[in-house]
Amino acid sequence: MTPRAAILGPLLALLTLAGGSSAGAQQVTVAFDPSGEVGVDEVLQLTIRIEASGSVRVTPPAIELDNLEIVGGPSRTTSVQFVNGRRSDSQTFVWSVRPRALGTAGLSEGRVAIGSDIVDLPQRTVSVVENPPQRVPRARSADPFDRMFGRDPFGRDRRRRGLDDFFNRRRVERREPEIFLEASLLPRQPWVGQQALYTLHLYTDVGIRSVTPSQLPDFKGFWTQVLPQETDSTPERVVRDGREIYRIKLLQRALFPRRAESLRIEPVATRMVVARQGFGSPFEDVGEIERRSNPLQIEVRELPEPAPPSFNGAVGDLRLEAELEPRQLQVGEAATLRLTLAGRGHLKGLLPPTLDVPTLDGVPAFEVFDPQTQSSEEVRGTQVVGEKVWSYVLLPQRPGTIELADIEIPYFNARTSSYEVTSVSDLTLDVAAATRLERAGGSVAELHPIRQISGAPPSQSWPWRLWLFASPLVAAACLLIVRRTTGGWTRTDGSPAPRRHLLRALDDAAQEDRASQLAARLEAAWRHFLEARWALPPGLASRRWSEELVARGAAADAVSELVQLQEDLHYLRYAPKLSETDEMRDEVLARSRKLARRLR
């Protein structure tokens, strides 16, 4: 018997007593690496090794983990040894696991089938702490006996021990490849509306032929922008857990959280075709494996208070520019004011700024029409850059010099964690009195001041009989205008005019097949109702509805439900996966009709 064979039996017996179970001639050992105290973000290796005399079929163990999640594996390593003419097989299964929370974690239960025997696995635990001890990478010997038993107990160098050394150095041990997925998000605690970068990396030490996703997160609670895949997908060589491994970037998403809450991003599941060299053969061994990434728990921070009074939810690093053309015109001609808000950030959901209309001699200087809106986004590197353009038509009502008030848009700069303001000024119109009128056909008539004619009008101009006939009609028209303006016009069921218009708008919107258009129409219907019934200022940000409506006497619970409904409508309008919004479409319609009966 060789010295190695002489010591192999006692050492295996010690391992079995220290950490394993036995069934006949089989030994099972279970261990965590590292063991003892580990960090909550540390990746551990759970190793289960089964050794048996002769050729025995071993199935992968069934395990149950406590406070641990699997991030890779199991990998499987098979080795065959012949000692004094007797065959000994060993199977090693390795999982990469990560703690879920502080406390105790480990293998709570497990079984493995060895031939016809079912062996229970021993329980193993580790302590998950905030400050784990420093890990010193250990050099690994190429000799598997060195890794199992440490240094030679006889103090001799096994590399010089004749035939035994010859076979040991040429033993080819088949092992499963080191492959796992890792998802990350930066920053981990974004502000509401701030861009967070989601990245999925593949770590591998063998060649990957293809990667096919079988499950992707739905990113609920975020506006999502797909970032283009880099054309150069050359693997990057990195050091991970003290060893070199290749890293490949599989996908990236720009995520913008919609509200302050705790959000979970589900794992990515994939199927991969792996190519490796097997048993010293020059031919590749191709096989398919499955891997899942780690889930992510995200805490979204609410924007700090107090916010500027006119803050409308813009988050990023933005600038405002203005174009006003023409600057010189006559009464009756129109000017166009073009406001462009651009910069880093997601701008699709922003409402247009409200213009302050100056007065001339107590009369509004110009009439403002609702702006036309255009939005666009592009990706520069990993940053989403947006642009929002509002085009206003201004129609002067009086001649004179009209100076528009400075237009300001406050925004939250996540980089500095503070509110900032971008503005435009020096917007002036020179309006002259109209002196020419162009008739149909191109002819031009000169306009002259109207002279006041003294004396009584001719008696035949308005006969008293005509006034007598028209008076009832004029009075009825005035009464109709007053009632419709004040919301006093009612239906047969007693509901006021704003509510009647709201219910009609909800019925009309229900005919819309496209989810985004439905949401836009419902948003517009609710805004019109709140302005008409509750006198909310036009263009008021939905985040300020609550305080304004409660101050006007609306029920607090109904107001809270309305604000939630508005946020869901906004999500439905810009949902990243419209195929998943059918159920939500019917829900917001039902909630709108129910809420319309409460906010009368």
Short mmCIF file of all heavy atoms in Angstrom, two decimals, residues 356-418:
data_model
loop_
_atom_site.label_atom_id
_atom_site.label_comp_id
_atom_site.label_asym_id
_atom_site.label_seq_id
_atom_site.Cartn_x
_atom_site.Cartn_y
_atom_site.Cartn_z
N ASP A 356 -47.70 84.36 -18.27
CA ASP A 356 -48.34 85.51 -17.64
C ASP A 356 -48.62 86.56 -18.71
O ASP A 356 -47.69 87.07 -19.36
CB ASP A 356 -47.43 86.10 -16.55
CG ASP A 356 -47.27 85.15 -15.38
OD1 ASP A 356 -48.19 84.35 -15.14
OD2 ASP A 356 -46.21 85.19 -14.71
N VAL A 357 -49.89 86.87 -18.92
CA VAL A 357 -50.28 87.83 -19.97
C VAL A 357 -50.32 89.23 -19.38
O VAL A 357 -51.10 89.49 -18.46
CB VAL A 357 -51.65 87.45 -20.56
CG1 VAL A 357 -52.04 88.44 -21.66
CG2 VAL A 357 -51.61 86.02 -21.11
N PRO A 358 -49.48 90.15 -19.87
CA PRO A 358 -49.53 91.53 -19.36
C PRO A 358 -50.78 92.24 -19.87
O PRO A 358 -51.47 91.76 -20.77
CB PRO A 358 -48.25 92.15 -19.93
CG PRO A 358 -47.98 91.37 -21.17
CD PRO A 358 -48.44 89.97 -20.90
N THR A 359 -51.06 93.39 -19.28
CA THR A 359 -52.22 94.19 -19.68
C THR A 359 -51.78 95.54 -20.20
O THR A 359 -50.75 96.09 -19.78
CB THR A 359 -53.19 94.38 -18.50
OG1 THR A 359 -52.49 95.05 -17.42
CG2 THR A 359 -53.70 93.04 -18.00
N LEU A 360 -52.58 96.08 -21.11
CA LEU A 360 -52.41 97.44 -21.62
C LEU A 360 -53.72 98.17 -21.40
O LEU A 360 -54.76 97.77 -21.94
CB LEU A 360 -52.05 97.43 -23.11
CG LEU A 360 -50.68 96.86 -23.49
CD1 LEU A 360 -50.52 96.83 -25.00
CD2 LEU A 360 -49.57 97.68 -22.85
N ASP A 361 -53.68 99.23 -20.58
CA ASP A 361 -54.88 100.00 -20.25
C ASP A 361 -55.96 99.10 -19.66
O ASP A 361 -57.16 99.26 -19.94
CB ASP A 361 -55.42 100.71 -21.49
CG ASP A 361 -54.41 101.68 -22.09
OD1 ASP A 361 -53.61 102.25 -21.30
OD2 ASP A 361 -54.40 101.86 -23.32
N GLY A 362 -55.52 98.13 -18.82
CA GLY A 362 -56.47 97.26 -18.14
C GLY A 362 -57.02 96.15 -18.99
O GLY A 362 -57.88 95.40 -18.53
N VAL A 363 -56.54 96.01 -20.22
CA VAL A 363 -57.03 94.98 -21.14
C VAL A 363 -55.88 94.02 -21.43
O VAL A 363 -54.73 94.46 -21.61
CB VAL A 363 -57.55 95.61 -22.45
CG1 VAL A 363 -58.00 94.52 -23.42
CG2 VAL A 363 -58.69 96.56 -22.14
N PRO A 364 -56.10 92.69 -21.46
CA PRO A 364 -55.02 91.76 -21.80
C PRO A 364 -54.34 92.15 -23.11
O PRO A 364 -55.01 92.43 -24.11
CB PRO A 364 -55.72 90.40 -21.90
CG PRO A 364 -56.92 90.54 -21.02
CD PRO A 364 -57.36 91.96 -21.13
N ALA A 365 -53.01 92.16 -23.09
CA ALA A 365 -52.27 92.64 -24.25
C ALA A 365 -52.39 91.69 -25.45
O ALA A 365 -52.32 92.13 -26.59
CB ALA A 365 -50.80 92.83 -23.89
N PHE A 366 -52.55 90.41 -25.18
CA PHE A 366 -52.69 89.46 -26.28
C PHE A 366 -53.45 88.25 -25.80
O PHE A 366 -53.59 88.00 -24.59
CB PHE A 366 -51.32 89.04 -26.85
CG PHE A 366 -50.37 88.49 -25.82
CD1 PHE A 366 -50.45 87.16 -25.40
CD2 PHE A 366 -49.39 89.30 -25.27
CE1 PHE A 366 -49.58 86.67 -24.46
CE2 PHE A 366 -48.51 88.81 -24.33
CZ PHE A 366 -48.60 87.48 -23.92
N GLU A 367 -53.96 87.50 -26.75
CA GLU A 367 -54.65 86.25 -26.47
C GLU A 367 -53.68 85.11 -26.72
O GLU A 367 -52.94 85.10 -27.71
CB GLU A 367 -55.88 86.10 -27.36
CG GLU A 367 -56.68 84.84 -27.09
CD GLU A 367 -57.91 84.74 -27.99
OE1 GLU A 367 -58.13 85.66 -28.79
OE2 GLU A 367 -58.62 83.72 -27.90
N VAL A 368 -53.65 84.12 -25.79
CA VAL A 368 -52.75 82.96 -25.90
C VAL A 368 -53.58 81.72 -26.20
O VAL A 368 -54.55 81.43 -25.50
CB VAL A 368 -51.96 82.75 -24.59
CG1 VAL A 368 -50.99 81.58 -24.75
CG2 VAL A 368 -51.20 84.00 -24.21
N PHE A 369 -53.20 80.99 -27.24
CA PHE A 369 -53.86 79.74 -27.59
C PHE A 369 -53.07 78.57 -27.00
O PHE A 369 -51.86 78.67 -26.78
CB PHE A 369 -53.95 79.61 -29.11
CG PHE A 369 -54.85 80.63 -29.75
CD1 PHE A 369 -54.36 81.86 -30.17
CD2 PHE A 369 -56.21 80.39 -29.90
CE1 PHE A 369 -55.18 82.82 -30.75
CE2 PHE A 369 -57.04 81.33 -30.47
CZ PHE A 369 -56.54 82.55 -30.89
N ASP A 370 -53.77 77.49 -26.75
CA ASP A 370 -53.10 76.30 -26.19
C ASP A 370 -51.93 75.89 -27.08
O ASP A 370 -52.06 75.85 -28.31
CB ASP A 370 -54.09 75.14 -26.06
CG ASP A 370 -55.14 75.41 -24.99
OD1 ASP A 370 -54.88 76.24 -24.11
OD2 ASP A 370 -56.22 74.78 -25.06
N PRO A 371 -50.79 75.57 -26.47
CA PRO A 371 -49.60 75.29 -27.28
C PRO A 371 -49.65 73.91 -27.93
O PRO A 371 -50.29 72.98 -27.43
CB PRO A 371 -48.46 75.36 -26.26
CG PRO A 371 -49.09 74.94 -24.98
CD PRO A 371 -50.50 75.48 -25.02
N GLN A 372 -48.98 73.81 -29.05
CA GLN A 372 -48.70 72.51 -29.64
C GLN A 372 -47.42 71.96 -29.00
O GLN A 372 -46.48 72.71 -28.76
CB GLN A 372 -48.52 72.63 -31.16
CG GLN A 372 -49.79 73.04 -31.89
CD GLN A 372 -49.59 73.08 -33.40
OE1 GLN A 372 -48.48 72.95 -33.89
NE2 GLN A 372 -50.68 73.25 -34.13
N THR A 373 -47.41 70.66 -28.74
CA THR A 373 -46.30 70.05 -27.99
C THR A 373 -45.62 68.98 -28.83
O THR A 373 -46.30 68.18 -29.49
CB THR A 373 -46.81 69.43 -26.68
OG1 THR A 373 -47.48 70.44 -25.91
CG2 THR A 373 -45.67 68.86 -25.87
N GLN A 374 -44.30 68.98 -28.79
CA GLN A 374 -43.51 67.94 -29.43
C GLN A 374 -42.47 67.44 -28.44
O GLN A 374 -41.89 68.23 -27.69
CB GLN A 374 -42.80 68.46 -30.69
CG GLN A 374 -43.76 68.84 -31.82
CD GLN A 374 -43.01 69.40 -33.02
OE1 GLN A 374 -41.97 70.03 -32.88
NE2 GLN A 374 -43.55 69.17 -34.20
N SER A 375 -42.25 66.11 -28.41
CA SER A 375 -41.27 65.52 -27.51
C SER A 375 -40.35 64.59 -28.29
O SER A 375 -40.79 63.95 -29.26
CB SER A 375 -41.95 64.72 -26.38
OG SER A 375 -42.75 65.57 -25.58
N SER A 376 -39.11 64.51 -27.86
CA SER A 376 -38.17 63.58 -28.47
C SER A 376 -37.13 63.19 -27.43
O SER A 376 -36.88 63.95 -26.48
CB SER A 376 -37.49 64.19 -29.70
OG SER A 376 -36.71 65.32 -29.34
N GLU A 377 -36.56 62.01 -27.61
CA GLU A 377 -35.51 61.52 -26.72
C GLU A 377 -34.44 60.81 -27.55
O GLU A 377 -34.76 60.21 -28.58
CB GLU A 377 -36.06 60.55 -25.67
CG GLU A 377 -36.85 61.21 -24.56
CD GLU A 377 -37.31 60.22 -23.51
OE1 GLU A 377 -37.20 59.00 -23.77
OE2 GLU A 377 -37.78 60.66 -22.45
N GLU A 378 -33.21 60.89 -27.11
CA GLU A 378 -32.13 60.14 -27.71
C GLU A 378 -31.18 59.68 -26.61
O GLU A 378 -31.18 60.23 -25.51
CB GLU A 378 -31.38 60.99 -28.76
CG GLU A 378 -30.68 62.21 -28.18
CD GLU A 378 -29.87 62.94 -29.23
OE1 GLU A 378 -29.25 62.25 -30.06
OE2 GLU A 378 -29.84 64.18 -29.22
N VAL A 379 -30.40 58.67 -26.93
CA VAL A 379 -29.46 58.10 -25.98
C VAL A 379 -28.04 58.50 -26.39
O VAL A 379 -27.64 58.28 -27.53
CB VAL A 379 -29.59 56.57 -25.92
CG1 VAL A 379 -28.56 55.98 -24.96
CG2 VAL A 379 -30.99 56.18 -25.50
N ARG A 380 -27.32 59.10 -25.46
CA ARG A 380 -25.92 59.45 -25.68
C ARG A 380 -25.09 58.67 -24.66
O ARG A 380 -25.07 59.01 -23.48
CB ARG A 380 -25.71 60.95 -25.51
CG ARG A 380 -26.48 61.79 -26.53
CD ARG A 380 -26.29 63.27 -26.30
NE ARG A 380 -27.15 64.07 -27.18
CZ ARG A 380 -27.27 65.40 -27.10
NH1 ARG A 380 -26.59 66.07 -26.18
NH2 ARG A 380 -28.07 66.04 -27.94
N GLY A 381 -24.44 57.62 -25.16
CA GLY A 381 -23.74 56.73 -24.25
C GLY A 381 -24.73 55.94 -23.44
O GLY A 381 -25.49 55.14 -23.98
N THR A 382 -24.76 56.16 -22.14
CA THR A 382 -25.75 55.53 -21.27
C THR A 382 -26.71 56.56 -20.68
O THR A 382 -27.46 56.24 -19.76
CB THR A 382 -25.04 54.79 -20.12
OG1 THR A 382 -24.23 55.72 -19.37
CG2 THR A 382 -24.16 53.67 -20.65
N GLN A 383 -26.73 57.78 -21.22
CA GLN A 383 -27.55 58.85 -20.68
C GLN A 383 -28.68 59.19 -21.64
O GLN A 383 -28.46 59.35 -22.85
CB GLN A 383 -26.69 60.10 -20.44
CG GLN A 383 -27.45 61.26 -19.82
CD GLN A 383 -27.90 60.97 -18.41
OE1 GLN A 383 -27.11 60.56 -17.57
NE2 GLN A 383 -29.17 61.19 -18.13
N VAL A 384 -29.91 59.28 -21.12
CA VAL A 384 -31.05 59.69 -21.92
C VAL A 384 -31.12 61.21 -21.94
O VAL A 384 -31.12 61.86 -20.89
CB VAL A 384 -32.35 59.09 -21.36
CG1 VAL A 384 -33.56 59.63 -22.12
CG2 VAL A 384 -32.32 57.58 -21.43
N VAL A 385 -31.18 61.78 -23.14
CA VAL A 385 -31.27 63.23 -23.32
C VAL A 385 -32.61 63.52 -23.98
O VAL A 385 -32.93 62.96 -25.05
CB VAL A 385 -30.11 63.75 -24.19
CG1 VAL A 385 -30.26 65.24 -24.42
CG2 VAL A 385 -28.77 63.45 -23.53
N GLY A 386 -33.41 64.36 -23.36
CA GLY A 386 -34.75 64.66 -23.85
C GLY A 386 -34.88 66.08 -24.33
O GLY A 386 -34.07 66.97 -23.99
N GLU A 387 -35.92 66.30 -25.12
CA GLU A 387 -36.24 67.65 -25.60
C GLU A 387 -37.76 67.80 -25.65
O GLU A 387 -38.46 66.91 -26.15
CB GLU A 387 -35.64 67.90 -26.98
CG GLU A 387 -35.91 69.32 -27.49
CD GLU A 387 -35.28 69.58 -28.85
OE1 GLU A 387 -35.94 69.22 -29.85
OE2 GLU A 387 -34.16 70.11 -28.90
N LYS A 388 -38.24 68.91 -25.12
CA LYS A 388 -39.66 69.21 -25.10
C LYS A 388 -39.85 70.60 -25.73
O LYS A 388 -39.21 71.56 -25.30
CB LYS A 388 -40.19 69.21 -23.67
CG LYS A 388 -41.70 69.21 -23.55
CD LYS A 388 -42.24 67.81 -23.59
CE LYS A 388 -43.71 67.77 -23.21
NZ LYS A 388 -44.24 66.41 -23.20
N VAL A 389 -40.71 70.68 -26.74
CA VAL A 389 -40.93 71.94 -27.46
C VAL A 389 -42.40 72.30 -27.35
O VAL A 389 -43.28 71.50 -27.69
CB VAL A 389 -40.51 71.82 -28.94
CG1 VAL A 389 -40.76 73.14 -29.65
CG2 VAL A 389 -39.04 71.42 -29.05
N TRP A 390 -42.68 73.51 -26.86
CA TRP A 390 -44.04 74.06 -26.81
C TRP A 390 -44.11 75.27 -27.74
O TRP A 390 -43.30 76.20 -27.63
CB TRP A 390 -44.40 74.49 -25.39
CG TRP A 390 -44.41 73.37 -24.40
CD1 TRP A 390 -45.33 72.39 -24.27
CD2 TRP A 390 -43.43 73.13 -23.38
NE1 TRP A 390 -45.00 71.54 -23.24
CE2 TRP A 390 -43.84 71.97 -22.67
CE3 TRP A 390 -42.26 73.77 -22.99
CZ2 TRP A 390 -43.12 71.44 -21.61
CZ3 TRP A 390 -41.53 73.25 -21.93
CH2 TRP A 390 -41.96 72.11 -21.25
N SER A 391 -45.09 75.29 -28.64
CA SER A 391 -45.28 76.39 -29.59
C SER A 391 -46.60 77.09 -29.28
O SER A 391 -47.68 76.50 -29.44
CB SER A 391 -45.27 75.87 -31.03
OG SER A 391 -44.02 75.28 -31.35
N TYR A 392 -46.51 78.35 -28.84
CA TYR A 392 -47.68 79.16 -28.48
C TYR A 392 -47.96 80.15 -29.62
O TYR A 392 -47.03 80.71 -30.22
CB TYR A 392 -47.45 79.96 -27.21
CG TYR A 392 -47.15 79.15 -25.97
CD1 TYR A 392 -45.88 78.63 -25.73
CD2 TYR A 392 -48.14 78.91 -25.02
CE1 TYR A 392 -45.60 77.91 -24.60
CE2 TYR A 392 -47.86 78.19 -23.86
CZ TYR A 392 -46.59 77.69 -23.66
OH TYR A 392 -46.31 76.98 -22.54
N VAL A 393 -49.24 80.38 -29.87
CA VAL A 393 -49.66 81.43 -30.79
C VAL A 393 -50.17 82.61 -29.96
O VAL A 393 -51.08 82.45 -29.14
CB VAL A 393 -50.75 80.94 -31.76
CG1 VAL A 393 -51.26 82.09 -32.62
CG2 VAL A 393 -50.20 79.83 -32.64
N LEU A 394 -49.56 83.78 -30.17
CA LEU A 394 -49.94 85.00 -29.45
C LEU A 394 -50.63 85.94 -30.42
O LEU A 394 -50.08 86.28 -31.48
CB LEU A 394 -48.70 85.68 -28.85
CG LEU A 394 -47.73 84.78 -28.06
CD1 LEU A 394 -46.57 85.61 -27.52
CD2 LEU A 394 -48.45 84.06 -26.94
N LEU A 395 -51.84 86.41 -30.07
CA LEU A 395 -52.62 87.31 -30.91
C LEU A 395 -52.81 88.64 -30.18
O LEU A 395 -53.62 88.74 -29.25
CB LEU A 395 -53.98 86.69 -31.24
CG LEU A 395 -54.81 87.41 -32.30
CD1 LEU A 395 -54.08 87.39 -33.64
CD2 LEU A 395 -56.18 86.75 -32.43
N PRO A 396 -52.02 89.68 -30.53
CA PRO A 396 -52.13 90.97 -29.83
C PRO A 396 -53.53 91.56 -29.96
O PRO A 396 -54.18 91.47 -31.00
CB PRO A 396 -51.08 91.83 -30.53
CG PRO A 396 -50.12 90.87 -31.14
CD PRO A 396 -50.95 89.69 -31.54
N GLN A 397 -53.99 92.22 -28.86
CA GLN A 397 -55.31 92.85 -28.81
C GLN A 397 -55.25 94.37 -28.84
O GLN A 397 -56.24 95.01 -29.15
CB GLN A 397 -56.04 92.40 -27.53
CG GLN A 397 -56.19 90.88 -27.39
CD GLN A 397 -57.07 90.29 -28.46
OE1 GLN A 397 -58.21 90.69 -28.62
NE2 GLN A 397 -56.52 89.33 -29.22
N ARG A 398 -54.10 94.95 -28.51
CA ARG A 398 -53.94 96.40 -28.44
C ARG A 398 -52.58 96.78 -29.01
O ARG A 398 -51.62 96.02 -28.91
CB ARG A 398 -54.03 96.89 -26.98
CG ARG A 398 -55.39 96.75 -26.33
CD ARG A 398 -56.38 97.78 -26.92
NE ARG A 398 -57.64 97.77 -26.19
CZ ARG A 398 -58.64 96.96 -26.45
NH1 ARG A 398 -58.53 96.07 -27.43
NH2 ARG A 398 -59.76 97.02 -25.75
N PRO A 399 -52.51 97.94 -29.64
CA PRO A 399 -51.19 98.40 -30.09
C PRO A 399 -50.33 98.85 -28.91
O PRO A 399 -50.84 99.19 -27.84
CB PRO A 399 -51.52 99.56 -31.03
CG PRO A 399 -52.85 100.06 -30.56
CD PRO A 399 -53.59 98.87 -30.03
N GLY A 400 -49.02 98.80 -29.11
CA GLY A 400 -48.09 99.21 -28.07
C GLY A 400 -46.93 98.24 -27.95
O GLY A 400 -46.81 97.28 -28.71
N THR A 401 -46.06 98.53 -26.99
CA THR A 401 -44.91 97.65 -26.72
C THR A 401 -45.30 96.68 -25.61
O THR A 401 -45.66 97.10 -24.51
CB THR A 401 -43.69 98.47 -26.31
OG1 THR A 401 -43.33 99.35 -27.39
CG2 THR A 401 -42.51 97.56 -26.02
N ILE A 402 -45.23 95.40 -25.92
CA ILE A 402 -45.63 94.36 -24.97
C ILE A 402 -44.37 93.63 -24.51
O ILE A 402 -43.65 93.04 -25.32
CB ILE A 402 -46.61 93.36 -25.61
CG1 ILE A 402 -47.84 94.09 -26.16
CG2 ILE A 402 -47.01 92.30 -24.60
CD1 ILE A 402 -48.79 93.18 -26.91
N GLU A 403 -44.09 93.69 -23.21
CA GLU A 403 -42.96 92.98 -22.64
C GLU A 403 -43.47 91.74 -21.89
O GLU A 403 -44.21 91.87 -20.91
CB GLU A 403 -42.18 93.88 -21.69
CG GLU A 403 -41.50 95.06 -22.37
CD GLU A 403 -40.66 95.88 -21.41
OE1 GLU A 403 -40.63 95.51 -20.21
OE2 GLU A 403 -40.06 96.87 -21.84
N LEU A 404 -43.11 90.59 -22.38
CA LEU A 404 -43.53 89.36 -21.73
C LEU A 404 -42.71 89.14 -20.46
O LEU A 404 -41.52 89.46 -20.41
CB LEU A 404 -43.34 88.16 -22.66
CG LEU A 404 -44.43 87.89 -23.69
CD1 LEU A 404 -44.44 88.96 -24.77
CD2 LEU A 404 -44.24 86.52 -24.33
N ALA A 405 -43.38 88.65 -19.43
CA ALA A 405 -42.66 88.35 -18.19
C ALA A 405 -41.67 87.21 -18.42
O ALA A 405 -41.83 86.39 -19.32
CB ALA A 405 -43.67 87.96 -17.10
N ASP A 406 -40.61 87.20 -17.60
CA ASP A 406 -39.63 86.11 -17.70
C ASP A 406 -40.33 84.77 -17.51
O ASP A 406 -41.21 84.62 -16.65
CB ASP A 406 -38.54 86.28 -16.63
CG ASP A 406 -37.68 87.51 -16.89
OD1 ASP A 406 -37.83 88.12 -17.96
OD2 ASP A 406 -36.87 87.84 -16.00
N ILE A 407 -39.94 83.80 -18.30
CA ILE A 407 -40.52 82.46 -18.22
C ILE A 407 -39.51 81.57 -17.51
O ILE A 407 -38.36 81.44 -17.94
CB ILE A 407 -40.84 81.91 -19.62
CG1 ILE A 407 -41.82 82.86 -20.33
CG2 ILE A 407 -41.43 80.51 -19.52
CD1 ILE A 407 -42.10 82.47 -21.76
N GLU A 408 -39.93 80.96 -16.40
CA GLU A 408 -39.03 80.13 -15.59
C GLU A 408 -39.58 78.70 -15.47
O GLU A 408 -40.80 78.51 -15.36
CB GLU A 408 -38.88 80.72 -14.19
CG GLU A 408 -38.26 82.12 -14.17
CD GLU A 408 -38.10 82.64 -12.76
OE1 GLU A 408 -38.72 82.04 -11.84
OE2 GLU A 408 -37.37 83.62 -12.56
N ILE A 409 -38.68 77.76 -15.52
CA ILE A 409 -39.03 76.35 -15.28
C ILE A 409 -38.08 75.82 -14.21
O ILE A 409 -36.88 75.65 -14.47
CB ILE A 409 -38.92 75.51 -16.56
CG1 ILE A 409 -39.95 75.98 -17.60
CG2 ILE A 409 -39.13 74.02 -16.25
CD1 ILE A 409 -39.96 75.15 -18.86
N PRO A 410 -38.56 75.59 -13.00
CA PRO A 410 -37.70 74.98 -11.98
C PRO A 410 -37.57 73.47 -12.21
O PRO A 410 -38.48 72.83 -12.73
CB PRO A 410 -38.44 75.27 -10.67
CG PRO A 410 -39.87 75.44 -11.08
CD PRO A 410 -39.88 75.94 -12.49
N TYR A 411 -36.43 72.93 -11.86
CA TYR A 411 -36.18 71.49 -11.99
C TYR A 411 -35.30 71.03 -10.85
O TYR A 411 -34.60 71.84 -10.21
CB TYR A 411 -35.55 71.15 -13.35
CG TYR A 411 -34.17 71.72 -13.57
CD1 TYR A 411 -33.02 70.98 -13.27
CD2 TYR A 411 -34.01 73.02 -14.06
CE1 TYR A 411 -31.76 71.51 -13.47
CE2 TYR A 411 -32.74 73.55 -14.26
CZ TYR A 411 -31.62 72.79 -13.97
OH TYR A 411 -30.36 73.31 -14.13
N PHE A 412 -35.33 69.73 -10.61
CA PHE A 412 -34.50 69.15 -9.56
C PHE A 412 -33.27 68.53 -10.19
O PHE A 412 -33.38 67.66 -11.06
CB PHE A 412 -35.28 68.09 -8.77
CG PHE A 412 -34.48 67.47 -7.64
CD1 PHE A 412 -34.29 68.15 -6.46
CD2 PHE A 412 -33.92 66.21 -7.79
CE1 PHE A 412 -33.55 67.60 -5.43
CE2 PHE A 412 -33.18 65.63 -6.76
CZ PHE A 412 -33.00 66.34 -5.57
N ASN A 413 -32.11 68.98 -9.77
CA ASN A 413 -30.84 68.47 -10.27
C ASN A 413 -30.36 67.37 -9.31
O ASN A 413 -29.91 67.67 -8.19
CB ASN A 413 -29.81 69.59 -10.38
CG ASN A 413 -28.57 69.18 -11.15
OD1 ASN A 413 -28.20 68.00 -11.16
ND2 ASN A 413 -27.93 70.12 -11.81
N ALA A 414 -30.47 66.12 -9.74
CA ALA A 414 -30.08 65.00 -8.87
C ALA A 414 -28.59 64.99 -8.59
O ALA A 414 -28.15 64.48 -7.56
CB ALA A 414 -30.51 63.68 -9.50
N ARG A 415 -27.80 65.56 -9.49
CA ARG A 415 -26.34 65.56 -9.29
C ARG A 415 -25.96 66.43 -8.10
O ARG A 415 -25.06 66.09 -7.33
CB ARG A 415 -25.65 66.07 -10.55
CG ARG A 415 -24.14 66.08 -10.48
CD ARG A 415 -23.56 66.46 -11.83
NE ARG A 415 -24.13 67.69 -12.34
CZ ARG A 415 -23.70 68.91 -12.00
NH1 ARG A 415 -22.71 69.04 -11.14
NH2 ARG A 415 -24.26 69.99 -12.51
N THR A 416 -26.67 67.55 -7.91
CA THR A 416 -26.39 68.44 -6.78
C THR A 416 -27.40 68.29 -5.65
O THR A 416 -27.27 68.94 -4.62
CB THR A 416 -26.40 69.90 -7.25
OG1 THR A 416 -27.69 70.22 -7.80
CG2 THR A 416 -25.34 70.12 -8.33
N SER A 417 -28.45 67.44 -5.87
CA SER A 417 -29.52 67.21 -4.87
C SER A 417 -30.17 68.53 -4.45
O SER A 417 -30.43 68.77 -3.28
CB SER A 417 -28.97 66.47 -3.64
OG SER A 417 -28.46 65.22 -4.01
N SER A 418 -30.45 69.38 -5.43
CA SER A 418 -31.06 70.68 -5.14
C SER A 418 -31.93 71.12 -6.31
O SER A 418 -31.79 70.63 -7.43
CB SER A 418 -29.98 71.73 -4.87
OG SER A 418 -29.17 71.92 -6.02
#
